[in-house]
Amino acid sequence: MLFGFVLALVAGYLLGPQPRVYIYTIFTLWLSARLAALLVPESLAAGILELAFLLTVIWIVIPRLLAAKKWRNRSIAPLVFVLFLLPVGYQFLMGLEWLEPGSVLLFGIILLSLLMLFMGGRIIAAAAAGEIQRRGGHLVARVQPPLEAALIVLVIPAAVISLIPGWRILTGSVLLLVGLVAGVRMTRWRLWKCRRADLLALAVGYFWLVAGLFTLGLALITGSGYSGVLHMITIGALGTLSITIAARVHLVNLKRADTVGYFFIITTLLITVATLLRLVSVYVPDYAIASLWVATAAWSLSYLLLLAVLIGILSPN
């Protein structure tokens, strides 16, 4: 999920409008790499295709990020670079005897969280400001540069520290602070005044991210298991934000960005059900199998609905 699905989502967002030949080439490389990893895992062909996809995206995206005027935008470049090279270095890192099991996964998810905090925050701030203004109000706190900068400064060290054995309490403390800062930032957007279903869906996705980081921090500090908590980020936040943003971009292209429909409500509820049931499968073992099946069905159905909207089979009204 982290090396295939997530990187495809990040690439799609960061690439922006590109010539069709670029898009088709990148998609073909990604799909070929995923099929090779499934059919002939750990083969030379799978490795070459994976590397080709990663380097192609890096070649296009990194120069654009480095050309940004603000340091906050430029700081995302090394983050994206490391995240996209993580699949290549995964086996090497897992082979290090001093590295604790699960540290590489935790490292990658913390970096992914920063990308969602950054990209999701930019989208939500602009959307909330526009909607509140349309209703006759004014949103003063939009991107909130000081808080955004604080998140960048906090999350990157937290990711690095998470790789150091015995430093889990420090990692958790930093993530706890990240959750608090992100929560304050989210509150200042006044999303409860936005009555559009798509904006409320974005709010739910960002809430899962804030709650996931805060809870992950608590789990690391107390020494309790954190595998279940990660689902709040990888399913709740990632699922809700990715589906909602993809659908909103599609509607903007159709000049129907103000569409308020049941699609966003249904998909958000489905992802919420999937997230809660994944938590049940971890913390209530007696219901693990049933919870996993229903969670899988809810997750799959939500993305099938998104596919139906994107190809024009289903109207989001």
Side-chain angles (χ1 to χ4, degrees):
M1 182 177 182
L2 182 60
F3 296 157
F5 175 70
V6 169
L7 292 186
L9 285 175
V10 175
Y13 179 87
L14 294 177
L15 284 169
Q18 296 289 338
R20 288 191 176 184
V21 64
Y22 282 17
I23 298 299
Y24 292 152
T25 300
I26 292 171
F27 175 73
T28 301
L29 288 173
W30 175 82
L31 183 60
S32 300
R34 303 275 49 85
L35 290 175
L38 179 65
L39 300 175
V40 283
E42 301 183 7
S43 66
L44 179 61
I48 292 174
L49 289 169
E50 181 84 36
L51 188 61
F53 163 71
L54 299 172
L55 292 180
T56 302
V57 175
I58 289 173
W59 173 65
I60 298 174
V61 169
I62 297 299
R64 294 171 53 188
L65 294 175
L66 291 175
K69 296 181 179 180
K70 297 180 180 179
W71 74 266
R72 288 176 288 117
N73 296 335
R74 291 196 304 272
S75 67
I76 298 300
L79 168 64
V80 172
F81 184 80
V82 172
L83 189 61
F84 270 78
L85 287 185
L86 190 58
V88 179
Y90 177 75
Q91 295 298 332
F92 170 75
L93 291 172
M94 290 300 293
L96 298 177
E97 295 182 359
W98 56 268
L99 200 61
E100 296 180 7
S103 294
V104 179
L105 176 61
L106 180 61
F107 173 78
I109 289 178
I110 293 175
L111 292 182
L112 172 64
S113 298
L114 177 54
L115 273 181
M116 288 194 286
L117 287 169
F118 183 85
M119 297 186 296
R122 294 292 179 91
I123 293 171
I124 294 173
E131 178 63 14
I132 290 175
Q133 183 176 355
R134 191 179 70 85
R135 293 180 175 275
H138 178 67
L139 182 63
V140 177
R142 299 190 180 190
V143 175
Q144 305 174 59
L147 294 184
E148 185 180 70
L151 291 173
I152 294 172
V153 170
L154 288 170
V155 174
I156 293 178
V160 175
I161 294 170
S162 69
L163 292 173
I164 304 176
W167 286 35
R168 288 288 171 86
I169 293 179
L170 180 57
T171 304
S173 300
V174 177
L175 290 179
L176 204 64
L177 183 57
V178 168
L180 290 173
V181 172
V184 170
R185 187 189 188 202
M186 181 180 179
T187 302
R188 298 184 70 200
W189 284 325
R190 298 189 292 173
L191 293 169
W192 57 86
K193 292 192 174 184
C194 301
R195 300 176 183 177
R196 277 173 44 181
D198 56 337
L199 299 188
L200 293 177
L202 288 174
V204 172
Y206 206 84
F207 170 79
W208 275 120
L209 181 57
V210 172
L213 287 168
F214 187 86
T215 310
L216 177 59
L218 285 177
L220 291 172
I221 291 173
T222 59
S224 57
Y226 62 84
S227 60
V229 174
L230 295 180
H231 296 308
M232 299 172 71
I233 298 173
T234 57
I235 297 180
L238 181 66
T240 307
L241 290 175
S242 63
I243 290 174
T244 305
I245 292 172
R248 288 187 81 250
V249 170
H250 179 66
L251 294 175
V252 167
N253 292 334
L254 295 178
K255 297 181 179 180
R256 296 167 57 192
D258 58 345
T259 299
V260 178
Y262 290 106
F263 167 82
F264 297 103
I265 297 174
I266 293 172
T267 53
T268 300
L269 288 174
L270 285 171
I271 294 296
T272 299
V273 168
T275 307
L276 293 175
L277 288 177
R278 287 298 279 121
L279 293 174
V280 169
S281 70
V282 173
Y283 298 110
V284 188
D286 291 343
Y287 298 95
I289 301 300
S291 299
L292 284 172
W293 275 108
V294 179
T296 301
W299 172 273
S300 301
L301 179 57
S302 62
Y303 277 95
L304 286 173
L305 290 174
L306 173 62
L307 177 63
V309 168
L310 294 179
I311 63 179
I313 295 177
L314 177 68
S315 171
N317 286 328

